[in-house]
Amino acid sequence: MFKEMYENDSLTGLLSYSSFQKAVSFYTETDPKGMEEGKYAMLCFNILRFKVINDLFGSDGGDELLIYVANQIRRLGGENCLASRTHSDHFCLFIPLTDDSLPARLDTFTDTIENCAPDFEVICHVGIYVTNRSDVRTDGMIARALLACSFVKEAVDKRYTFYNTSMRTQLLQEQEIINNMAKALEEEHFKVYYQPQYNHITGQLVGAEALVRWLHPTRGLISPALFIPVLEKNNFIMKLDLYVFEKTCALLRRMLDEGVTPIPLSVNVSRLDILYPDLPEKMEKIRQKYQVPVKWLRVEITESAMLDGIEKLTLFIARMHALGFNIEMDDFGSGYSSLNMLKNLDLDTLKLDMRLLSDDGSDKNNGAVILTGLVRIAKWLGLPIIGEGVEHKEQADFLASIGCSYVQGFLYSRALPEEEFYSLIRSQKKGDIQPPMQLIENMNSAQFWNPMSIETLIFNNYVGGAAVMEYRAGRLDLVRINKKFIRELGETLTEEDVLRWQPFDHMDEENKQIFLDAANRAIQTDSEQECETWSRIPGQEHPICVRVSMRMIANSTDNVMFYILIRNITEKKKAQWDMARREKLFRAASEQVNIYYWEYDVKTKEMTPCFRCIRDLGLPPLLQNYPQSAIDHNVIPPEAAEKYRLLHRSIDAGLAQAEVVIPLTLERIPFRVRYTTEFDENGNPVRAYGSAVPAKE
Ligand code: C2E
Ligand code: MG
Ligand code: MG
């Protein structure tokens, strides 16, 4: 009905903004009751990253998209709608609400827009103000719809939000923050607190994080969680971050001046600061002003900084590194791109947030497993990890058990005001944060883990069973195994069975000690060590005996990595046992029939006597230069000596069987001495088995 009276936007054919205003005011004036009762809605639309679309597809492409969106908005609005393009890529729509189909129509609208281009995801956010008063003019309605639009979160599926009054309250609060922040900075209402970081194992203070608070003259202490996001929207954040950095430098200067040994202090740098290329130089200037050695300063960046492009972040880190600053990754693991980031960024420390562990009520809470994996990855990258937000001793113990001993959180301390923190520093025993896992000389972890490297090739195809094993806090974990390792343990096992196998859970104390002794020797001597231990394999009836050779390949303060080679020697052990058992039986039998027996080695002239020979005749376990040594021992009486020598010469010459009577034992009882000779494949005598029984005749 307005078509003839109003002007249109030449590109999209929608109403011009002034026409739109006029048309909407027609309703506000003619139907104030309907306005109060929520019979109308104002919608505002914002196409995200429209500039990029213009860049990529040119202004023709951009225009085409605007026309498309305008048509979809018209379809969404239906017959009696008023629609306008307010400026560039911003649209608004005023509609009567006749039923409750709007959310469903909005879902269709946003889906259609999202799928309109085959190679590019177009996202359009929508804010909706459902009228609730008659005195709000068009601008006021649009302002409310726009406010709602700014509350649509980027990461969430729903692309639209309905306005509510708390948004306005929040906006007013934000405005208050904006109005006051410059003054607050000038009048030093921002205070820097410091939250200490501890080594949970030694109890030593190893560092602290500078955290800002706003000490508002009337509202009291305001949390950074409230004002940092506002300052970030406002570009004021860099000023604040540099202020915190300066205060931190000043505190370190004070420590150095007063002879107090400092600890490294970390400062937070907002994702938006990184967009400013001169930030590193600005920080360096402040550091120099206070003459603080750079080793006492660290910079925390967040994963979200990746959202603005990895190039800027990489450049920032490189410049900070060139100036000597350490870079810590804050809230590691909370973002979606954590692992990708690790691959691409040159970091010095990771901060893992305990929120990863928080129970979200789901059955499948994999937080602890993920945390364990992250810690292990960090260790192999040689990155120390600090656990953040640690509130309970159990959490800290758990972290230490998976190899992360540095913690920050309420368990140890809240963030402290400067003076309190200063006294703490003065009184505390201090330690350092150590890089966790260091491969021994000549080993390169990148190569070691690279699937294409020669190291991996050798490992996988090694003739025997090989594994990489980690030992920490009384636990053994197999980190990597080759196929033959599994085969050595048992054909029925799968790789998962073996990797999950905890050898110590299936060993008795004695075997555990044998293993630990060998491991300790390997660490102390930095050489290969061996041991043989019995353990049980889940699902197998009998225990197995494994000979393990181990060599340390990496270590840190709290754990050690070994390269191990294994042989399953259960069968061999059983055979030895069998032999020993038979020997025992034979020994018992020999007592019963009063027999002595021994072995004579033709080549070496060595004689190995039986247990009874040792006991009754006082022989050592091995006699050399036999039979002369026996003659010298007076086991063979002088009168029989020549006969005995002759017997052995005959054996040496190849006599297969022999028998002589010699007086033996202290009592010189006549014994029948018999020999049976064993020959090699060439017919040469090798060994002769001797026995002596009393000659009864
Ligand atoms: P963040 O950098 O991850 O800092 C750790 C936050 O966890 C701090 O909150 C700290 O007080 C809190 N926290 C520490 N231990 C525990 C604990 O055991 N349990 C719980 N529930 N929380 C704990 P805070 O001080 O409120 O700071 C919040 C965030 O504000 C910081 O998170 C950081 O992202 C930002 N922030 C703080 N100060 C600054 C600053 O100077 N500049 C910038 N850009 N951001 C800052
Ligand atoms: Mg932080
Ligand atoms: Mg954090």
Side-chain angles (χ1 to χ4, degrees), residues 253-273:
R253 181 71 259 153
R254 181 175 159 204
M255 291 180 196
L256 293 165
D257 288 345
E258 295 177 9
V260 175
T261 311
I263 50 169
L265 301 181
S266 308
V267 289
N268 289 281
V269 158
S270 157
R271 118 188 202 202
L272 296 169
D273 298 346

Side-chain angles (χ1 to χ4, degrees), residues 209 268 300 302 330-332 351 353 355 388 408:
E209 177 177 6
N268 289 281
E300 287 189 15
T302 56
D330 205 353
D331 303 333
F332 177 68
K351 295 189 77 176
D353 206 297
R355 271 172 293 190
E388 258 197 299
Q408 172 185 346

Side-chain angles (χ1 to χ4, degrees), residues 195 209-213 223-224 228 237 241 244 268-270 300 330-331 388-391 409-410:
Q195 186 172 33
E209 177 177 6
L211 292 160
V212 71
R213 272 97 186 83
S223 146
I228 297 269
I237 187 68
D241 282 346
V244 171
N268 289 281
V269 158
S270 157
E300 287 189 15
D330 205 353
D331 303 333
E388 258 197 299
V390 178
E391 296 186 353
F410 297 163

Side-chain angles (χ1 to χ4, degrees), residues 291-506:
Q291 290 287 305
V292 174
V294 73
K295 66 173 177 179
W296 302 120
L297 288 161
R298 301 198 187 122
V299 172
E300 287 189 15
I301 56 173
T302 56
E303 271 183 279
S304 62
M306 285 268 284
L307 292 174
D308 301 307
I310 189 149
E311 300 79 22
K312 288 203 177 74
L313 193 55
T314 313
L315 193 66
F316 173 78
I317 295 176
R319 293 171 71 169
M320 292 305 278
H321 274 162
L323 293 167
F325 287 89
N326 262 5
I327 304 289
E328 300 184 337
M329 178 53 64
D330 205 353
D331 303 333
F332 177 68
S334 60
Y336 61 95
S337 58
S338 315
L339 292 177
N340 205 10
M341 210 184 50
L342 268 190
K343 203 174 90 198
N344 293 309
L345 297 179
D346 184 9
L347 301 164
D348 303 296
T349 305
L350 299 182
K351 295 189 77 176
L352 266 182
D353 206 297
M354 278 289 100
R355 271 172 293 190
L356 254 185
L357 267 185
S358 68
D359 193 351
D360 59 2
S362 72
D363 292 344
K364 199 171 170 161
N365 187 2
N366 285 333
V369 179
I370 295 171
L371 210 62
T372 310
L374 291 179
V375 169
R376 181 165 278 164
I377 291 169
K379 296 213 135 202
W380 275 109
L381 293 173
L383 295 175
I385 318 149
I386 300 175
E388 258 197 299
V390 178
E391 296 186 353
H392 311 289
K393 185 174 174 301
E394 291 72 23
Q395 288 176 319
D397 289 346
F398 172 72
L399 280 176
S401 80
I402 60 170
C404 164
S405 24
Y406 305 115
V407 295
Q408 172 185 346
F410 297 163
L411 168 68
Y412 278 98
S413 171
R414 288 179 178 265
L416 305 171
E418 186 176 311
E419 283 311 313
E420 224 174 290
F421 176 65
Y422 192 70
S423 342
L424 178 83
I425 292 277
R426 243 206 287 242
S427 64
Q428 288 273 312
K429 200 166 64 160
K430 296 168 200 107
D432 290 325
I433 292 185
Q434 304 285 342
M437 191 59 87
Q438 223 113 57
L439 278 174
I440 57 165
E441 247 177 285
N442 303 331
M443 273 190 97
N444 166 331
S445 74
Q447 284 301 83
F448 188 73
W449 293 108
N450 179 354
M452 308 307 283
S453 71
I454 186 82
E455 282 84 345
T456 299
L457 191 79
I458 293 171
F459 179 83
N460 286 345
N461 297 294
Y462 186 77
V463 281
V468 174
M469 182 187 74
E470 189 174 355
Y471 173 65
R472 179 194 334 108
R475 241 177 95 95
L476 282 181
D477 273 309
L478 291 165
V479 177
R480 190 175 170 184
I481 52 178
N482 70 3
K483 286 263 177 305
K484 283 166 191 138
F485 187 91
I486 306 173
R487 228 173 290 150
E488 287 291 324
L489 293 185
E491 291 289 349
T492 54
L493 295 170
T494 66
E495 195 164 329
E496 286 76 40
D497 290 336
V498 176
L499 283 173
R500 241 182 256 144
W501 182 53
Q502 281 291 317
F504 278 176
D505 291 351
H506 303 281

